Amino acid sequence: MSDHGRSPGGAPFDVAIIGAGVVGCAIARRLTLDGARVVVLEKARDVLDGASKGNSAILHTGFDAPPGSLEQACVASGYAEYLNIAPALNLPILKSGAMVLAWTTEQLAALPGLIGKAHRNGVPDVAPLERDEILRREPNLSRDVLGGFEVPGEYLIDPWTTAHAYILQALANGASLRRGAEVLGGHRGKEIWTLNTSTGDVHAHYVINCAGLYGDVVDRRLLGRSTFKIRPRKGQFVVFDKPASALASAILLPVPSKTTKGIVVCRTIFGNLLVGPTAEDQDDREDASTDRATLEALRGQGIKMLPGLADCEITATYAGLRPACEFPEYQVMQEDGYVTVGAIRSTGLSAALGIARHVAEMIGPLGTPLTEPVIPLVDRLSEHHPRDWQCDGHDGIVCHCELVTRREIERVLTGPMPPASLQGLKRRTRVTMGRCQGFYCLPELARITTGRLEVPMDVPTGMSEGKDHD
Amino acid sequence: MTERAIATEQCCIAIVGGGSAGLALAAEARRLGAKNVVVLEREQSAGGVPRHCGHYPFGLREYGRLMKGPDYARRNVAAACAVGVDLRTGATVSRLLPGGGLEVVQDGYAYTVRAERVVLCTGVREASRAQRMISGDRPSGIVTTGALQGMVYLAGQAPFRRPIILGSELVSYSAIQTCAHLGIRPVAMVEEEPNTLAPGQLQLYLRLRGVPLHTGVSDLAIRGKGRVEAVSFTDMTGQRLAIETDGVIISGRFLPESALLRASHLEVDPLSGGPVTDQHGRCSDPAFFAAGNLLRPAETSGFCWREGRRAAAHVVADLARPRDMDRHTVAIRAEDPAIGFVSPQRVVIGRESSASGPLHVGLALPLNGVLQATSAGRVLWSGAGKARPVRRVHLPLDKILAARPEADIVVSRVEVR
């Protein structure tokens, strides 16, 4: 960690990145590998605490993005780089492929147009599928399906480990991370930005605003204005227990209509099956609440597509907030040593590496690219790859539903970016994320984490509520 | 991964789960002469749920002594070990193999157990907030009673100081006791059903403890950023209320811990959530049995202990018989909206037709009337039944079988004219 808001050596940082969501983490990695001195400022106690917290965990080809858009270009290049670096970073991927399915004659009529768009987007293996072929490949699918097409190149990935791996690689190669550092204001003078944060001033030549749900707020605080307004779009999800994942092989995508993109049914890299998201526009930037009526409707929609889901247990429910705005396109722009990376909606996970390259090109070289960057390894939490519980010396399984070992938990707690709270420990290890949601393992986790979390699981007697919330 | 070849062990009876049912079954099987009986417990110490129920009453019928849960759990462990049960802790069963096999991981070493009979005793857990689809934010401070008890009695920690209890089953009252142990008092008990699910006389206990009760609530939602701040709901009069609180205890609505089962070749009853079994606990693969609360949610530890003992007699006797013996079974099913599930779901009739345990009838709606069991239109048994939803009634399965059913048995209420 640097002192007095400057990089090691006392000079201002080359770049200050505001926001440690998946986009901020990817940019931090890219610029660090390119030789820049980077500091990442995150207002929450932990990384991935905003929009990147909840998504559908798919690596998209970008087949359905608007042709010629920045979004399409970033998804395409982000996709390619992800597949390239995943093995070295130990990131799990599962090539499930996707199918876009038509359930009405209107949807059936829309398929050729979507296939043509996919081809224009440079995804040539998108091809139509007859109803019989769909049902042969997905025998648990409702017979009501009328037709569809395949997108063989779509993958299931781990959304949290992905972003953790990006930021950990940045940190391992010299970047700094400040958590709990909210940017309150700042100004640019003599080519250098001074950012006033809740933990002190930070100086940097470039500022990159990756503040996600607060992208427009940060623009206003630093530029005095914003050219877009974030209007969060909430997406609720229902996650079914692992046996449900036997019901579908491919990611089952709907045909988007003018008003809605529709809900996805897909397996997860963790071995579950999820149904979602909804698309609910709201003003609140924090409200990721779920409601029973919507969750029951989602479950019902899932059962309509996969009737076998009716007998499957639900493991979890959650909601994510996409940082949407009034424009359909990403809001990426540069002026006076300041780059806004705003309104990165649902495609952020797939596009992050592509966005990072795009931003790196925008601001030009800031140093000498590292020739042999350090590659820190993250634990693979995939149900489809070997796990620590199958290896010697893990000192016992703590979370039985997700088969998380004491060694995995210890590695995270003693690692370079330990979690601030149980939430962060969950995202890093999957503890309590399974079917029992902590019924069995919370006591042991309380014991293991005693004195080691900024937000303890234990509430002391006569406690006074913390002043700030995470 | 381990480099060496995966070892295979042989045993007579392998029991998955070292709780009340599994330990009682293991000890009794040894007493009845079973040679090697292995219990595989995934936790670092055996005993099951009673381990973290630091309150009375446990063990009166089993040991003639009133005990707290942890003492009862230790007693069950000691009783099993004293008769030579091979009790293995930290042993996770990762897969059930057709014909009576288990894949086990213990201390990172994988091995296979081939058993003449496998008994599944994996117990129950409470439904989570997600499974109950409770609306609202997801702040910290939301735990099930089981997790709370573990945190309090095993880890000496408290996740909140003034929680609200969602649910009104017996376990919800245990949650109050657990809070009392911490010197804290829940700010309210809230139930979506019109009445409490535990016997009504327990409401006196709520009054003594000064815990307000709200039943028949709707549109429940948890509010809070970071930590729980409030629980809001619409009460029976239609008024919207918000109770300030710093935690939520999600209590009751037990579900069989059926993950292994659901990932296996064994038939699952979607209604009970447990395996489809006959009256002796035999599963769809004749090498597999089940006992205890995995069969259905949820009975007391003492009930599961006795059920384990009874099951041991069947399993040991079964060791002498060919596993693939043709058994004549008929199904038991409910035809009544008030009935959520029945257990067992089939019965062996003819030579092996006997029953030592009851027919469990789990209720989806309140019941107050006459139940009957019929077969091919003939009434095998009828009798009064009264219980609240989520709870159950026990029908005398021995009497039903004594009436010699020849076709499927149907359980329903008798129409009252």
Side-chain angles (χ1 to χ4, degrees):
Chain A
M1 183 70 65
S2 65
D3 47 330
H4 308 304
R6 289 171 191 273
S7 70
F13 289 99
D14 292 326
V15 181
I17 296 169
I18 303 171
V22 68
V23 173
C25 292
I27 294 175
R29 170 183 172 274
R30 174 79 273 141
L31 297 182
T32 302
L33 296 183
D34 286 351
R37 290 159 301 164
V38 173
V39 62
V40 180
L41 306 171
E42 170 55 54
K43 78 171 160 55
R45 286 196 179 99
D46 203 353
V47 301
L48 300 190
D49 202 56
S52 301
K53 204 155 48 173
N55 55 57
S56 44
I58 299 170
L59 181 66
H60 287 295
T61 54
F63 76 94
D64 60 347
S69 64
L70 176 63
E71 178 178 6
Q72 192 278 324
C74 289
V75 171
S77 68
Y79 172 91
E81 184 174 354
Y82 195 95
L83 293 183
N84 202 19
I85 67 172
L89 290 180
N90 213 26
L91 293 171
I93 55 173
L94 183 71
K95 191 173 185 180
S96 63
M99 285 183 191
V100 174
L101 300 176
W103 301 88
T104 65
T105 48
E106 292 80 14
Q107 290 173 358
L108 204 55
L111 296 179
L114 291 168
I115 294 171
K117 183 166 152 187
H119 293 163
R120 285 202 300 287
N121 278 335
V123 190
D125 55 357
V126 168
L129 289 175
E130 293 298 321
R131 178 176 178 276
D132 287 354
E133 177 61 13
I134 292 168
L135 290 170
R136 193 190 63 74
R137 292 191 193 180
E138 300 289 347
N140 297 300
L141 201 61
S142 160
R143 309 277 117 178
D144 294 340
V145 70
L146 298 179
F149 62 86
E150 64 174 331
V151 190
E154 303 249 314
Y155 287 79
L156 308 178
I157 61 173
D158 173 347
W160 300 297
T161 305
T162 291
H164 289 143
Y166 298 163
I167 186 76
L168 285 169
Q169 195 180 16
L171 297 181
N173 289 285
S176 303
L177 167 67
R178 295 191 182 186
R179 296 188 274 181
E182 179 176 359
V183 174
L184 304 167
H187 64 276
R188 187 165 187 255
K190 283 196 232 155
E191 311 278 297
I192 290 177
W193 277 94
T194 298
L195 300 178
N196 317 119
T197 84
S198 50
T199 59
D201 287 356
V202 170
H203 308 281
H205 291 283
Y206 281 89
V207 169
I208 304 178
N209 169 11
C210 302
L213 292 160
Y214 290 85
D216 53 346
V217 173
V218 167
D219 268 5
R220 281 200 299 276
R221 283 182 187 173
L222 296 177
L223 302 178
R225 66 189 144 70
S226 176
T227 55
F228 60 98
K229 179 164 172 32
I230 293 293
R231 184 116 203 276
R233 185 168 299 149
K234 180 158 78 182
Q236 300 189 43
F237 292 86
V238 173
V239 182
F240 288 85
D241 198 11
K242 301 191 179 195
S245 70
L247 295 176
S249 171
I251 298 162
L252 305 177
L253 300 169
V255 173
S257 76
K258 288 224 163 52
T259 50
T260 168
K261 275 188 108 173
I263 66 148
V264 179
V265 175
C266 73
R267 294 188 287 157
T268 70
I269 195 89
F270 312 115
N272 298 90
L273 184 124
L274 63 77
V275 179
T278 55
E280 306 163 52
D281 289 331
Q282 63 184 36
D283 292 321
D284 197 310
R285 297 171 196 259
E286 300 284 336
D287 177 10
S289 61
T290 52
D291 69 275
R292 182 181 284 174
T294 305
L295 297 174
E296 276 173 355
L298 276 177
R299 178 173 178 269
Q301 280 174 280
I303 291 169
K304 246 176 144 174
M305 289 170 71
L306 293 173
L309 274 183
D311 290 336
C312 292
E313 279 189 17
I314 286 170
T315 288
T317 58
Y318 67 96
L321 298 177
R322 288 98 105 183
C325 76
E326 67 270 45
F327 307 111
E329 175 64 298
Y330 289 175
Q331 299 298 302
V332 179
M333 47 224 151
Q334 182 186 19
E335 63 175 286
D336 300 336
Y338 185 97
V339 182
T340 299
V341 183
I344 310 299
R345 298 175 310 275
S346 47
T347 47
L349 180 62
S350 302
L353 294 171
I355 294 169
R357 279 198 182 277
H358 177 73
V359 169
E361 280 162 23
M362 277 171 86
I363 59 181
L366 295 169
T368 313
L370 308 186
T371 46
E372 282 182 42
V374 180
I375 303 180
L377 288 189
V378 287
D379 275 322
R380 266 208 281 229
L381 306 177
S382 159
E383 185 86 354
H384 304 276
H385 297 83
R387 288 274 306 272
D388 193 51
W389 66 272
Q390 295 155 313
C391 304
D392 293 357
H394 57 56
D395 209 13
I397 294 169
V398 173
C399 168
H400 300 293
C401 300
E402 295 299 311
L403 297 164
V404 184
T405 68
R406 191 176 303 270
R407 179 166 59 192
E408 285 174 308
I409 295 168
E410 285 296 334
R411 269 204 284 257
V412 158
L413 288 173
T414 57
M417 193 179 61
S421 66
L422 178 63
Q423 302 297 325
L425 186 62
K426 285 179 180 188
R427 291 198 287 270
R428 285 166 176 79
T429 62
R430 290 200 59 70
V431 291
T432 79
M433 302 275 264
R435 59 189 74 84
C436 93
Q437 297 277 293
F439 178 87
Y440 293 109
C441 71
L442 272 178
E444 192 54 28
L445 290 173
R447 253 201 300 235
I448 294 172
T449 60
T450 300
R452 304 170 79 180
L453 295 176
E454 201 184 320
V455 184
M457 291 172 64
D458 185 28
V459 176
T461 315
M463 65 160 222
S464 54
E465 295 279 352
K467 274 181 235 95
D468 46 356
H469 297 299
D470 61 350
Chain B
M1 297 289 273
T2 47
E3 295 288 321
R4 76 202 113 185
I6 288 179
T8 300
E9 291 182 24
Q10 307 283 339
C11 72
C12 287
I13 302 174
I15 297 163
V16 185
S20 304
L23 291 171
L25 196 152
E28 181 70 0
R30 282 287 302 152
R31 210 181 57 77
L32 294 172
K35 273 211 188 65
N36 37 29
V37 178
V38 177
V39 174
L40 300 156
E41 167 57 48
R42 65 187 184 178
E43 298 289 347
Q44 296 303 321
S45 55
V49 165
R51 277 187 317 130
H52 48 76
C53 297
H55 53 74
Y56 301 107
F58 287 87
L60 198 55
R61 282 174 70 181
E62 297 90 309
Y63 299 111
R65 248 191 73 196
L66 196 59
M67 294 181 234
K68 288 185 178 178
D71 298 325
Y72 176 71
R74 276 191 288 274
R75 188 74 181 258
N76 285 341
V77 169
C81 293
V83 292
V85 169
D86 179 356
L87 174 58
R88 302 178 192 179
T89 55
T92 298
V93 175
S94 54
R95 207 150 75 93
L96 308 180
L97 304 172
L102 302 169
E103 285 182 5
V104 185
V105 176
Q106 192 175 359
D107 302 329
Y109 296 101
Y111 59 93
T112 302
V113 174
R114 277 278 157 202
E116 290 175 49
R117 299 293 183 278
V118 174
V119 192
L120 305 177
C121 300
T122 51
V124 280
R125 63 172 194 267
E126 290 166 290
S128 67
R129 180 259 174 100
Q131 285 167 326
R132 294 177 65 165
M133 287 193 179
I134 293 162
S135 303
D137 305 319
R138 20 191 46 68
S140 60
I142 306 172
V143 296
T144 52
T145 318
L148 170 69
Q149 291 180 328
M151 282 186 74
V152 171
Y153 294 116
L154 300 180
Q157 299 192 7
F160 37 58
R161 302 310 295 182
R162 41 189 178 87
I164 201 163
I165 299 174
L166 296 190
S168 63
E169 297 175 46
L170 281 173
V171 67
S172 317
Y173 290 83
S174 293
I176 299 177
Q177 280 184 280
T178 308
C179 287
H181 181 84
L182 290 170
I184 64 175
R185 189 176 68 190
V187 293
M189 177 182 277
V190 173
E191 171 59 56
E192 294 182 271
E193 294 289 335
N195 295 296
T196 57
L197 298 173
Q201 54 268 35
L202 276 172
Q203 288 182 29
L204 183 64
Y205 179 78
L206 289 182
R207 280 202 290 278
L208 284 172
R209 288 275 176 192
V211 179
L213 171 69
H214 302 266
T215 57
V217 310
S218 54
D219 299 323
L220 258 174
I222 298 171
R223 295 294 166 215
K225 308 261 179 260
R227 281 209 66 79
V228 174
E229 291 161 13
V231 167
S232 61
F233 54 85
T234 305
D235 75 3
M236 261 196 290
T237 68
Q239 198 188 348
R240 192 76 191 159
L241 295 178
I243 297 180
E244 272 189 46
T245 176
D246 68 344
V248 182
I249 303 171
I250 308 284
S251 72
R253 307 292 172 126
F254 286 92
L255 298 168
E257 172 61 8
S258 59
L260 263 180
L261 175 71
R262 285 172 188 264
S264 78
H265 62 296
L266 299 173
E267 194 182 341
V268 178
D269 173 22
L271 302 176
S272 67
V276 171
T277 69
D278 67 15
Q279 71 267 43
H280 307 308
R282 188 192 299 273
C283 302
S284 56
D285 176 338
F288 284 82
F289 284 77
N293 276 336
L294 171 65
L295 290 171
R296 85 276 113 173
E299 300 289 345
T300 63
S301 295
F303 187 100
C304 293
W305 190 92
R306 290 185 285 282
E307 188 170 59
R309 281 251 291 216
R310 287 196 304 266
H314 287 290
V315 174
V316 171
D318 202 59
L319 287 171
R321 299 189 199 118
R323 264 194 327 218
D324 48 2
M325 191 171 90
D326 187 26
R327 292 175 181 81
H328 189 177
T329 66
V330 297
I332 307 182
R333 63 173 193 275
E335 282 184 6
D336 193 310
I339 299 175
F341 69 84
V342 295
S343 172
Q345 300 80 5
R346 56 190 174 86
V347 276
V348 178
I349 57 172
R351 226 157 29 87
E352 278 188 84
S353 173
S354 64
S356 45
L359 172 61
H360 294 254
V361 175
L363 296 176
L365 298 171
L367 174 78
N368 187 2
V370 177
L371 282 173
Q372 63 178 10
T374 62
S375 181
R378 184 164 62 88
V379 176
L380 304 171
W381 174 88
S382 75
K386 182 178 179 187
R388 295 167 186 236
V390 184
R391 296 187 61 79
R392 47 71 183 152
V393 289
H394 287 159
L395 307 190
L397 189 53
D398 51 346
K399 287 187 180 145
I400 293 170
L401 292 179
R404 298 189 173 280
E406 284 168 351
D408 287 358
I409 298 168
V410 176
V411 182
S412 62
R413 278 175 297 188
V414 178
E415 294 285 335
V416 183
R417 257 174 285 177

